[in-house]
Amino acid sequence: MAKTLYEKVWQAHVIDQIGEDSLIYIDRHLIHEVTSPQAFAGLDEKNRKVRRPDRTIATMDHSISTRSLALDACGPANQLQLNTLAQNCQKHGIELYPVGHQKQGIVHVMGPELGLIQPGMTVVCGDSHTATHGAFGALAFGIGTSQVEHVLATQTLKQSKAKSMKVEVSGSLAVGITAKDIILAIIGKIGHAGATGHVIEYCGEAIRGLSMEQRMTICNMSIEAGAKAGMIAPDDTTFAYIKGRELAPSGNDWDSALAYWKTLYSDEDAVFDTVVTLHADDISPQVTWGTNPGQVVGVGQPIPAPDSFNDPVARSSAQKALKYMDLEAGQILSEVAINNVFIGSCTNGRIEDLRAAASIAKQGKVADNVTAIVVPGSVAVKAQAEAEGLDKIFIESGFEWRLPGCSMCLGMNDDILKPGDRCASTSNRNFEGRQGRGARTHLVSPAMAAAAALKGRLADVRDFQE
Amino acid sequence: MTGITTISGNAAPLNQANVDTDQIVPKQFLTGVTRTGYGKHLFHDWRYLDEHESVPNPEFTLNQPQYQGASILLARENFGCGSSREHAPWALGDFGFKVIIATSLADIFYGNCINNQILPISLPSEQMDVLFAAVESKPDTVIEVDLPAQTVSVDGQSFSFDIAEHHKLNLIKGLDAIGQTLELDAKISEYEAKQPAWA
């Protein structure tokens, strides 16, 4: 019987069937300081061990400063959390990349760049953006702390199989359009909860043409449409990315792994529960206007009127969002002034993102009233950017060049906005208060964020290119 | 853990869609290393006018006198969306909620509730309208939730809800999920033995 990519990976991991549910094996468990301390405490209370420390890897990313390598730079609570991670990893024999380590980075940037994530794997992390790793054809999803504890103790999870959704993006992208614009357009089309209960498979010509980093941007935001996970079938682009990385298979192992990876695609006549299609040619640079990522329009389009939504709940959500965002229906976002720019995060903190932003940054200076920060996704990304001179371009243009971490995506450190601040951000959530209480977030691509920094308002990146 | 079977109580109506976990517990309260004490930070930005949590916002539902002591929270679509933070059900439970009834709930949040002895229920929009109308017009309305029978009853009307069998059992018996899986240790080892070296 024809199978989807998701079904193939799922079935390869079923250990046991328990009623309607399956016990599935977890190949890679990524952990960080925020969602793991209570899980380790739970193990300790019951005298349980970590079953597979060799399949568990830890990094510090959420609670750390982007200005200092000191663990106490963001106060004693953050310091305690970071030290707790270090103690737990030491006690249970788990490899940790702490602040200052050359492999440290945002958990979803660090894993792929080490070659830790490979096609067909199951990957979990106590973080909703774990779907990032689906870009490799892995089944990757975010879990809560009780599940982190379950995976630490058993290397398994009890799961119900999700529904499947195929999102096909046909055609090719116009100049200035990026993976971020594609995924925002998808979420805009299906809605903030449009994929709840589903695993998405992204496919089509426009997806095939993307680099691995761009594919990670797409899969990363699957959760913003409510999806359990997002996946892209592995292909030559995937294999070329993995080959030669530190933790990638080599020699004969590479050959046998590759032979298996090449079987990981949805069969031609596989049936999906839901199918959505978009045309890449119709996608313009996207900007969110509201307080969830589904509230998004093209930069040149007017903000929709709440009355244009038939559903009364969607209508009242739009009204509430416009009030919070201090915007009006019909307004064109490129007329809206901003005073902050954030370039970074697990969505857009990789080297290609920084190159795209730098290509705009070098065309001018950050506007006088704008504070703009660039936060690389990992130490490796930072080093690569510096080797290419991107740091100098940013600094010369008036951006601040910071240390790696999650930073202003969620502001668990001191990178937070003030009430009334308005930020063009390459992160993944424009929720009320996400970047600081009373602050307003507009999600955009890295090039769009850099363009906004230079103009002092939301701007169309296509005005910068020849 | 103690199990839950039936719950009768008052409900607080949070008449909003897309209530994300950043609203339920904002990031500045995620630096803890324990599972307790998050109730006072529940809905911080909406509930308090100041950062020190000393000035309640009188407009916010949970601050209104008629909804004090509610054990059931009503909400609209996509409740608990966004971040996977389990601090969200920790805060809801610590505050006193035992049941969340919404038009729909986000996947990760749903699982996190189950793992914390909070019963998440989704009901169709029209049935949610009935619950909201009852509670908004008469705040002392008692809603009865019967988990074994999978029903929500109010004012003589009864609605049934779906829940996976193993979730239901875990809630009713308050089972140790990890302990149950550890009993399958031999099967897990057998699976591991078959994995290729590179996997």
Side-chain angles (χ1 to χ4, degrees):
Chain A
M1 201 186 125
K3 291 177 192 164
T4 63
L5 168 63
Y6 167 54
E7 283 165 335
K8 289 180 182 179
V9 179
W10 171 269
Q11 284 173 7
H13 289 85
V14 173
I15 298 170
D16 201 11
Q17 203 63 30
I18 304 155
E20 296 156 14
D21 300 287
S22 303
L23 186 70
I24 64 162
Y25 195 75
I26 302 302
D27 295 316
R28 296 285 182 267
H29 188 192
L30 307 170
I31 61 173
H32 61 83
E33 69 274 22
V34 182
T35 57
S36 69
Q38 297 86 352
F40 282 109
L43 289 186
D44 290 348
E45 270 170 36
K46 301 217 161 165
N47 247 327
R48 287 171 175 157
K49 291 199 186 89
V50 176
R51 182 183 179 92
R52 294 296 299 265
D54 58 322
R55 291 186 176 275
T56 314
I57 200 152
T59 189
M60 295 179 177
D61 57 4
H62 284 67
S63 296
I64 60 175
S65 170
T66 59
R67 304 166 201 262
S68 160
L69 295 177
L71 295 189
D72 63 355
C74 295
N78 291 34
Q79 183 187 19
L80 173 65
Q81 196 170 58
L82 294 162
N83 284 333
T84 302
L85 178 69
Q87 286 158 10
N88 285 328
C89 288
Q90 192 180 16
K91 177 174 175 183
H92 294 279
I94 294 166
E95 179 129 6
L96 165 68
Y97 303 137
V99 172
H101 193 286
Q102 59 174 1
K103 295 179 190 168
Q104 179 266 337
I106 303 175
V107 64
H108 310 308
V109 177
M110 170 280 288
E113 71 191 11
L114 289 175
L116 183 70
I117 311 300
Q118 296 155 26
M121 284 181 165
T122 47
V123 182
V124 298
C125 174
D127 188 285
S128 60
H129 293 109
T130 308
T132 308
H133 310 286
F136 291 83
L139 173 60
F141 53 93
I143 56 177
T145 296
S146 295
Q147 291 172 306
V148 170
E149 186 179 336
H150 194 282
V151 177
L152 287 171
T154 69
Q155 205 59 33
T156 69
L157 276 177
K158 208 183 279 183
Q159 293 279 297
S160 317
K161 195 154 157 252
K163 290 187 215 157
S164 58
M165 177 184 282
K166 174 165 142 179
V167 175
E168 184 170 4
V169 188
S170 63
S172 51
L173 292 173
V175 174
I177 310 303
T178 68
K180 184 64 162 288
D181 303 300
I182 299 178
I183 188 63
L184 284 171
I186 292 170
I187 301 165
K189 182 174 173 117
I190 67 177
H192 185 34
T196 301
H198 290 75
V199 167
I200 299 175
E201 180 177 342
Y202 302 96
C203 60
E205 189 189 345
I207 301 292
R208 276 292 135 232
L210 298 176
S211 69
M212 282 315 296
E213 296 197 358
Q214 291 173 310
R215 293 180 190 186
M216 284 187 250
T217 300
I218 300 268
C219 290
N220 172 276
M221 289 188 71
S222 301
I223 181 73
E224 312 311 338
K228 171 106 186 158
M231 303 175 84
I232 295 173
D235 58 10
D236 289 342
T237 303
T238 321
F239 310 142
Y241 177 97
I242 297 170
K243 192 164 192 180
R245 289 188 188 259
E246 187 183 332
L247 300 174
S250 58
N252 289 341
D253 281 350
W254 172 264
D255 295 338
S256 66
L258 188 62
Y260 173 58
W261 297 346
K262 286 185 172 173
T263 68
L264 298 173
Y265 53 83
S266 288
D267 296 327
E268 214 161 292
D269 43 354
V271 179
F272 290 82
D273 294 301
T274 313
V275 177
V276 176
T277 43
L278 279 84
H279 300 287
D281 324 70
D282 297 341
I283 301 173
S284 59
Q286 302 285 297
V287 187
T288 59
W289 54 265
T291 53
N292 76 57
Q295 293 174 324
V296 63
V297 288
V299 64
Q301 294 170 320
I303 296 171
D307 288 344
S308 69
F309 296 96
N310 290 328
D311 174 34
V313 177
R315 201 178 308 141
S316 75
S317 284
Q319 279 160 347
K320 187 166 181 288
L322 288 178
K323 187 175 176 219
Y324 180 85
M325 294 298 289
D326 192 26
L327 294 170
E328 282 171 23
Q331 242 179 313
I332 304 286
L333 284 161
S334 56
E335 293 162 0
V336 173
I338 51 102
N339 66 345
N340 276 271
V341 169
F342 169 59
I343 297 174
S345 84
C346 60
T347 310
N348 280 134
R350 298 182 181 80
I351 189 66
E352 290 174 16
D353 299 316
L354 301 193
R355 285 178 191 143
S359 75
I360 302 297
K362 72 180 177 198
Q363 299 183 42
K365 299 280 183 197
V366 172
D368 286 345
N369 59 330
V370 173
T371 302
I373 67 172
V374 184
V375 183
S378 69
V379 173
V381 170
K382 180 168 181 283
Q384 179 65 31
E386 288 171 356
E388 296 177 19
L390 304 185
D391 57 325
K392 292 196 180 64
I393 291 173
F394 284 122
I395 292 165
E396 177 66 22
S397 176
F399 290 81
E400 294 176 34
W401 179 245
R402 299 286 189 85
L403 299 169
C406 299
S407 181
M408 198 184 278
C409 174
L410 84 167
M412 276 198 68
N413 61 3
D414 53 353
D415 298 331
I416 42 175
L417 299 176
K418 298 185 298 299
D421 280 348
R422 190 180 292 278
C423 183
S425 178
T426 68
S427 54
N428 40 57
R429 290 191 173 129
N430 50 341
F431 295 162
E432 280 186 34
R434 171 85 175 176
Q435 297 189 299
R437 188 174 186 169
R440 298 162 182 139
T441 302
H442 296 276
L443 301 178
V444 290
S445 74
M448 285 284 285
L454 268 48
K455 294 278 191 189
R457 58 175 171 78
L458 293 165
D460 189 335
V461 68
R462 294 172 299 187
D463 295 342
F464 284 75
Q465 286 163 349
E466 290 164 32
Chain B
M1 282 201 215
T2 53
I4 52 175
T5 49
T6 57
I7 290 160
S8 290
N10 299 132
L14 188 59
N15 205 343
Q16 282 185 42
N18 300 315
V19 174
D20 58 75
T21 54
D22 273 81
Q23 302 313 321
I24 299 173
V25 188
K27 66 239 169 220
Q28 64 267 37
F29 306 112
L30 305 187
T31 55
V33 294
T34 65
R35 292 175 190 249
T36 53
Y38 296 96
K40 61 179 178 288
H41 308 308
L42 180 68
F43 295 117
H44 169 92
D45 284 8
W46 292 343
R47 195 166 141 208
Y48 302 104
L49 295 172
D50 66 329
E51 288 310 304
H52 306 292
E53 306 188 331
S54 55
V55 188
N57 175 4
E59 310 267 297
F60 186 57
T61 309
L62 296 191
N63 289 334
Q64 292 167 356
Q66 65 271 36
Y67 297 118
Q68 298 309 301
S71 57
I72 298 167
L73 183 66
L74 305 182
R76 297 287 184 176
E77 282 95 343
N78 204 22
F79 187 81
C81 59
S83 161
S84 64
R85 58 189 69 169
E86 200 161 310
H87 310 69
W90 293 337
L92 288 160
D94 190 35
F95 184 84
F97 289 117
K98 296 183 168 67
V99 184
I100 316 291
I101 311 178
T103 319
S104 62
L105 298 112
D107 290 340
I108 304 176
F109 176 80
Y110 186 97
N112 285 342
C113 285
I114 298 282
N115 285 326
N116 286 281
Q117 290 288 299
I118 293 173
L119 172 57
I121 295 174
S122 83
L123 290 179
S125 193
E126 314 79 65
Q127 296 178 1
M128 288 309 304
D129 289 344
V130 173
L131 295 181
F132 273 104
V135 169
E136 283 169 349
S137 64
K138 202 166 153 285
D140 63 352
T141 297
V142 172
I143 295 179
E144 287 178 36
V145 178
D146 185 330
L147 177 55
Q150 296 181 212
T151 56
V152 174
S153 307
V154 66
D155 295 344
Q157 293 191 72
S158 185
F159 309 125
S160 25
F161 63 89
D162 287 331
I163 184 167
E165 200 58 32
H166 79 276
H167 287 154
K168 185 174 166 179
L169 271 180
N170 278 357
L171 288 171
I172 292 174
K173 297 189 175 170
L175 296 174
D176 168 17
I178 296 174
Q180 287 177 290
T181 303
L182 287 173
E183 288 172 17
L184 301 170
D185 182 69
K187 285 191 172 172
I188 301 171
S189 297
E190 197 183 316
Y191 180 92
E192 285 176 325
K194 284 192 214 149
Q195 281 193 307
W198 43 265

